[in-house]
Amino acid sequence: MQPKSNIINLPVYQPGKPIEEVKRELGLSEVVKLASNENPYGSSPAVHRAIQSELENISIYPDGSAADLTADVARHVGVNRDQVIFGCGSDEIIALITRAFFLPGDETIMADQTFSVYKSNADIEGAVSIEVPLKDGTHDLEAMLAAITDRTKVIWICNPNNPTGTIVNEAELSSFVSRVPKHVMVVIDEAYVEYVTDPSFPDSVRLLQDNENVVILRTFSKIYGLASLRIGYGLASASVISLINKVREPFNTSRFGQAAARAAIADQDYVRDCREKNAKGIVFLQEEFRAMGLFSFPAHGNFIMVDVGRASREVFDELLQKGVIVRPGFSKYPEYIRVTVGSEEQNRVFLSALKQVLGAETAQV
């Protein structure tokens, strides 16, 4: 059986190493996973109750239109219901966009070190990815504008950027969008938006009012703590949402995911608490990195990318032996690891292990 020629050399996405596998392989009883930017505090207690209430409906198909959740999200972010679409994580909406809009030979622009799913889905559809180098770890919007041609279909802006954690601010993003040709879609991926505390961060929803070419992606996997339930959403003009919906599979989100997301978005006190704890964790980790003489990028999500001064995969392997899982292997930053901001206890375990691996002073942390 002959596959499509453009997928033969396509790399398979490698998720963070699971805790169970590490325990089994290394014979460890305790493992701290700080590789996948999961919420260390879990989800709101209201989510647990919502899932429990759905158990009696386990044999019934979910609402394919997610009508109740659509109403909740639309009200929360301030858009109309026909401007919202849901996916099996925001990853699926990325795939749906490429399926709906790319033809072989079309071009798409992204940063050279960003969420890899943009490029992999473009590759599947036979599109050509134009990768623009980051500038100090941040999207170089002027260079991205200069890369636009008559074949450009979509530009991807990951904000905060995964893996570097940097942001594009309000003035920069507004100026950029205003200069992008209206036939080119601008996808703003805000998977970590709820963690951002910087007042210069854009109000991207406002851009939807006058720009039908803007699409915003968000997820319930991060601060809301619903990663295992796989549910994310997109915001755009009604006409664009209608087109994306044409290639969406029916029942692509579960009853449990929809119920959990409704409960999660209703509990903004829980979200604020997680954001505050995360902000304190960032300060703590960055201060420790500075004391160790390590450079880290400004962090605006729930993760930090730090230069460990050695091949990241070597550091990853040595941390793994100590029961700490981080994310290595970034092609443009081969000596950097990405570490999720964990709970206070998890952060201390990580720092202790990192100091041992790097041969730093074993100061009390």
Side-chain angles (χ1 to χ4, degrees), residues 250-262:
F251 310 121
N252 63 325
T253 61
S254 69
R255 297 189 70 96
F256 295 106
Q258 291 180 31
R262 293 191 70 198

Side-chain angles (χ1 to χ4, degrees), residues 109-111 130-136 138-149 152 155-157 167-181 186:
I109 299 171
M110 65 199 70
I130 309 300
E131 298 178 89
V132 175
L134 293 172
K135 187 176 181 179
D136 299 324
T138 304
H139 285 77
D140 188 342
L141 297 185
E142 296 303 316
M144 296 178 94
L145 278 171
I148 296 173
T149 71
T152 305
I155 303 173
W156 308 88
I157 306 293
I167 62 170
V168 171
N169 67 33
E170 173 84 42
E172 293 165 339
L173 185 62
S174 295
S175 174
F176 175 78
V177 169
S178 71
R179 290 180 287 160
V180 172
V186 179

Side-chain angles (χ1 to χ4, degrees), residues 2 5 23 26 32 46 60 72 83 99 103 129 154-155 167 182 225 230 252 303 309 313 317-318 325:
Q2 188 67 28
S5 60
K23 286 182 176 180
L26 301 180
V32 173
I60 303 172
D72 290 351
Q83 291 182 268
R99 183 190 296 179
L103 293 172
S129 294
V154 177
I155 303 173
I167 62 170
K182 295 305 181 185
R230 309 306 303 126
N252 63 325
F303 56 92
R313 290 196 179 277
D317 287 336
E318 293 180 39
I325 314 172

Side-chain angles (χ1 to χ4, degrees), residues 60-65 88 92 248-254 258:
I60 303 172
Y61 282 110
D63 174 4
S65 66
C88 180
E92 185 189 20
R248 180 179 63 84
E249 299 294 337
F251 310 121
N252 63 325
T253 61
S254 69
Q258 291 180 31

Side-chain angles (χ1 to χ4, degrees), residues 39-52 195 220-227 229 256 259-274 277:
N39 187 339
Y41 309 106
S43 56
S44 162
V47 166
H48 299 212
R49 295 191 293 270
I51 291 174
Q52 186 69 34
Y195 282 110
F220 285 94
S221 295
K222 303 305 178 184
I223 204 166
Y224 290 109
L226 307 187
L229 294 177
F256 295 106
R262 293 191 70 198
I265 205 167
D267 191 353
Q268 289 300 310
D269 287 340
Y270 187 82
V271 171
R272 281 187 288 273
D273 183 56
C274 290
K277 289 176 179 176

